[in-house]
Every structure is written in C-alpha cells, then in structure tokens.
Amino acid sequence: ASGAGLTLQSLTQHLLVQAARNVSVTSSNGDLSVEGLLGITLTTPGTIALSAQQVTMASLPTAAAAASAQALAMCACPSGKLFRVASGSTCLSAAAELCV
C-alpha cells in the first residue's frame, strides 16, 4: 500500500540482520531511529564514522561545576565513558566524580 511502512519485529527476543558483504539502512526522506532498552553496541575492527552537520549527545553526563557554563569540553574516562566539563577546566578534576 502506498505510504505503508515496514516493521521488523521479533517475538522471540532476538532479531538478526546479516549479509556476506554490506548491510545498509537508509532513510531518504525522514529520520532514522535506533533504540535499545539496555544499550546499543556498535562493534567493528575498522572505523565508526558519524558524518553530520551536528552530533548531539543530550544525556551526556556533565561535571557539577560545569552545569551553568556557557562553553563545555568533552572528556573520556579510561573506560571510554564520555562526559563534559566547563571549557577551561581539566578533565582530570572531574574524573573522580564521573569515572566511577
């Protein structure tokens, strides 16, 4: 039917999309949304590239001292967890608070 969508749903708690070469998911006229209840994992021995005019991480933790800062810097914990600090602050000063 015209305008109908495609829904992939698993009633057995597992859905696998697999190909010998490439798997592409494209939305040429709208948003593409991926949601996971417990998390989303992207794994590759190569590169994960985000190509966009803007990348937003709305729920990224922010050091308490940076809550009212106008400019923020991004930091990474040894585990890979990302967090924000006030621009001009050091990541090390907030690591004890956010890298637990």
Side-chain angles (χ1 to χ4, degrees), residues 15-80:
L15 176 66
L16 174 66
V17 178
Q18 190 172 9
R21 293 201 80 174
N22 297 320
V23 174
S24 295
V25 178
T26 304
S27 176
S28 60
N29 195 23
D31 292 337
L32 178 64
S33 177
V34 177
E35 297 179 30
L37 179 63
L38 300 177
I40 297 171
T41 302
L42 302 173
T43 305
T44 179
T47 300
I48 296 174
L50 301 175
S51 177
Q53 289 181 349
Q54 181 175 332
V55 175
T56 304
M57 294 183 229
S59 298
L60 200 59
T62 303
S68 61
Q70 291 185 9
L72 298 170
M74 188 180 313
C75 303
C77 300
S79 67

